Amino acid sequence: MRITEVLPNEMARVTLDGVSKTVSTALLDDVAVGDYIVLHVGYALAKIDPEEAERTLEMLVMAGVG
Amino acid sequence: MMKYVDEYRDGKIAKTLAAVIAAEVRPDSEYHFMEFCGGHTHAISRYGLEDLLPPNVRMIHGPGCPVCVLPISRIDLAIELSRRPEVTLCTYGDLMRVPGSQGSSLMKAKAEGADIRMVYSTLDAVRIAEAEPNREVVFFAIGFETTTPPTALALRFAREKGLTNFAIFCNHVLTPAAVQNILDSPDVKELGNVRIDGFVGPAHVSTVIGAGAFRVFAREFKKPVVVAGFEPLDVMQSILMLIRQVNDGRHEVENQYIRAVTEDGNAKAQAAIAEFFELRDSFEWRGLGEVPNSALRLRPQFANFDAEKRFDLVTKPAKDNPACECGAILRGVKRPRDCKLFGTVCTPDNPMGSCMVSSEGACAAHWTYGRFREKAARQEAAE
């Protein structure tokens, strides 16, 4: 889920695969357009850390090599 | 292309991981891992991950499906509440078909005229209370640490708006207590236990409570825990990490889902929970029985938001269908196909047990995905 628009009252517009909806970001500290979030029952619970995501993928790819 | 989704579903990498797993398992050992969370149960079934694992690695489906562990007596109370003429009951959609006593359900109560409304978010329930001041709006609050902060925020919102016609029927439960109970409770021991060598730790729950929440547990019970993401490669990698811990004789908490889960979790969400809720001494779980310190209730100063107090709800003992094996399935002692009702009288269209209701339930997952694989395997063997 990627944030496409930050709205008032701790809300945001998010999109996944062309589907978009309005969710609450009240459980997160600061959000910005372009952030990826973990969504649960209409609330963003966490932000995806792009660097850690990259590292996990590298480890997965390396599994076959190492 | 769905970023942070598709790349964790790559079939080629999954096969490579499967080969690494096959090479690292000790042929003379058995590995029994429980995935606690219903989201993982669903992913394992949907992507056929069990087919990628060696026969001596067995996945046991745990009780982490929030709808499945809600006892029948609480469903009965929700139905009773919904039948009060002044009450509008707001609920997540997947609770509608959960069977209560004597074939009742919220769906049937609604058909009989009860004012029950499905909501996607707790905020929808507050908006209904705001828009309809003459209705007593009650939100049927269920779930683990993931759905509790949203309930807390709804309460905060209702308080800010000064709403006096909003309450919650609180059924929020705690993950670590349930995991501990599977290994520790005399109740469960009496009912039959299952060997577990390690746990696939929950994804969304851990974003809230943090991977660190499982450390005491891993130490005390000497069982490895790997917090895992929901995509198939996340689950495969986590299983590999568990196998390595077992082979090394380690019992640590490792965090595979490090892109979303931190050691300490989401402080804001934890503060929202602590503001409104306190521990219940005990709470009944379907399949696990009474589990001490495993659930939350509203703090006494918020009694005006507490539907149990406002409507004098009294729990009445209720029995599951005696042939339904949900209890044993939720403890990992039996599998869906061991149940006489599975696929005969109990299907997702007409569920008898809670495990068939939610897509995260072990029976529904097996009905939707697993039985076709079994059939294909049988045909292959016959040819």
Side-chain angles (χ1 to χ4, degrees):
Chain A
M1 291 275 172
R2 187 170 53 87
I3 294 181
T4 54
E5 190 183 354
V6 177
L7 303 169
N9 301 319
E10 301 184 291
M11 302 293 283
R13 198 85 192 141
V14 297
T15 174
L16 176 74
D17 210 18
V19 180
S20 84
K21 55 177 148 192
T22 303
V23 305
S24 169
T25 55
L27 294 168
L28 299 180
D29 275 328
D30 35 85
V31 291
V33 170
D35 284 348
Y36 283 80
I37 54 146
V38 173
L39 182 70
H40 197 78
V41 292
Y43 288 79
L45 291 181
K47 275 195 272 191
I48 304 270
D49 180 330
E51 281 171 32
E52 292 292 0
E54 202 53 49
R55 216 168 302 165
T56 301
L57 274 180
E58 274 168 26
M59 277 175 64
L60 287 167
V61 175
M62 287 297 287
V65 190
Chain B
M1 169 78 193
M2 293 184 283
K3 194 167 164 64
Y4 300 134
V5 175
D6 286 343
E7 54 269 60
Y8 296 93
R9 291 181 182 173
D10 185 308
K12 251 194 226 153
I13 299 178
K15 288 210 174 87
T16 312
L17 275 171
V20 177
I21 288 171
E24 293 199 18
V25 292
R26 301 200 170 126
D28 53 343
S29 293
E30 289 281 324
Y31 302 81
H32 290 194
F33 299 131
M34 174 176 273
E35 86 279 1
F36 178 83
C37 172
H40 285 134
T41 301
H42 185 85
I44 287 166
S45 286
R46 176 172 172 190
Y47 298 103
L49 299 186
E50 278 167 310
D51 293 346
L52 293 174
L53 298 173
N56 56 338
V57 178
R58 190 188 145 192
M59 299 309 292
I60 297 153
H61 311 313
C65 154
V67 168
C68 306
V69 295
L70 193 66
I72 213 160
S73 57
R74 303 297 285 188
I75 293 286
D76 286 348
L77 282 184
I79 293 171
E80 180 189 319
L81 200 51
S82 76
R83 289 199 170 124
R84 295 176 78 112
E86 73 276 26
V87 166
T88 296
L89 186 77
C90 296
T91 174
Y92 292 127
D94 50 1
L95 283 164
M96 290 296 285
R97 290 177 313 122
V98 180
S101 289
Q102 280 122 30
S104 59
S105 69
L106 288 173
M107 184 89 101
K108 285 181 187 158
K110 185 175 167 71
E112 288 158 14
D115 184 4
I116 301 172
R117 304 191 205 170
M118 282 182 271
V119 292
Y120 167 67
S121 153
T122 57
L123 293 179
D124 299 337
V126 181
R127 283 189 199 111
I128 290 171
E130 199 181 8
E132 300 179 40
N134 297 326
R135 303 294 300 162
E136 290 285 335
V137 176
V138 179
F139 177 65
F140 190 1
I142 70 140
F144 293 90
E145 292 87 343
T146 47
T147 51
T148 315
T151 302
L153 290 191
L155 291 167
R156 204 182 271 169
F157 201 38
R159 188 181 53 187
E160 281 164 14
K161 289 183 179 288
L163 296 179
T164 55
N165 65 327
F166 180 76
I168 66 159
F169 175 38
C170 182
N171 296 275
H172 286 299
V173 285
L174 302 170
T175 304
V179 181
Q180 178 162 336
N181 180 269
I182 291 163
L183 295 173
D184 202 24
S185 125
D187 207 18
V188 169
K189 275 178 189 147
E190 202 176 291
L191 294 162
N193 233 328
V194 65
R195 178 185 147 182
I196 298 170
D197 302 305
F199 289 88
V200 175
H204 286 179
V205 163
S206 300
T207 64
V208 174
I209 66 175
F214 295 99
R215 292 208 187 275
V216 175
F217 167 84
R219 202 165 45 228
E220 199 172 313
F221 292 95
K222 300 190 175 17
K223 302 283 181 196
V225 178
V226 176
V227 171
F230 273 138
E231 298 304 332
L233 292 188
D234 291 321
V235 179
M236 290 294 285
Q237 189 182 29
S238 302
I239 292 169
L240 177 59
M241 290 162 81
L242 283 170
I243 289 167
R244 286 177 176 164
Q245 285 209 41
V246 171
N247 286 351
D248 297 347
R250 289 181 289 129
H251 42 83
E252 298 161 9
V253 175
E254 293 179 306
N255 182 4
Q256 184 277 337
Y257 196 32
I258 196 157
R259 64 184 183 277
V261 170
T262 60
E263 175 69 14
D264 298 327
N266 182 333
K268 230 174 164 178
Q270 291 168 14
I273 295 174
E275 181 183 351
F276 287 97
F277 298 100
E278 62 180 20
L279 266 185
R280 282 182 201 260
D281 296 335
S282 178
F283 193 73
E284 187 192 352
W285 292 55
R286 199 180 288 221
L288 301 181
E290 287 287 332
V291 183
N293 303 320
S294 66
L296 299 172
R297 64 172 175 226
L298 275 163
R299 291 185 179 279
Q301 62 266 40
F302 301 112
N304 54 330
F305 284 131
D306 191 340
E308 282 181 79
K309 298 212 171 99
R310 260 167 80 158
F311 301 98
D312 293 316
L313 299 182
V314 181
T315 308
K316 296 164 201 73
K319 285 259 174 289
D320 284 305
N321 182 324
C324 171
E325 296 281 12
C326 274
I329 290 165
L330 286 166
R331 292 193 307 278
V333 179
K334 288 197 174 168
R335 302 188 202 206
R337 62 168 177 269
D338 299 329
C339 179
K340 275 191 297 211
L341 304 182
F342 178 84
T344 53
V345 289
C346 183
T347 63
D349 288 335
N350 184 31
M352 306 296 287
S354 53
C355 302
M356 190 58 98
V357 175
S358 162
S359 65
E360 296 190 350
C363 293
H366 189 66
W367 171 267
T368 312
Y369 306 108
R371 63 201 171 107
F372 300 108
R373 303 205 330 274
E374 262 176 18
K375 196 175 165 195
R378 275 200 305 274
Q379 274 170 355
E380 214 169 272
E383 276 161 12

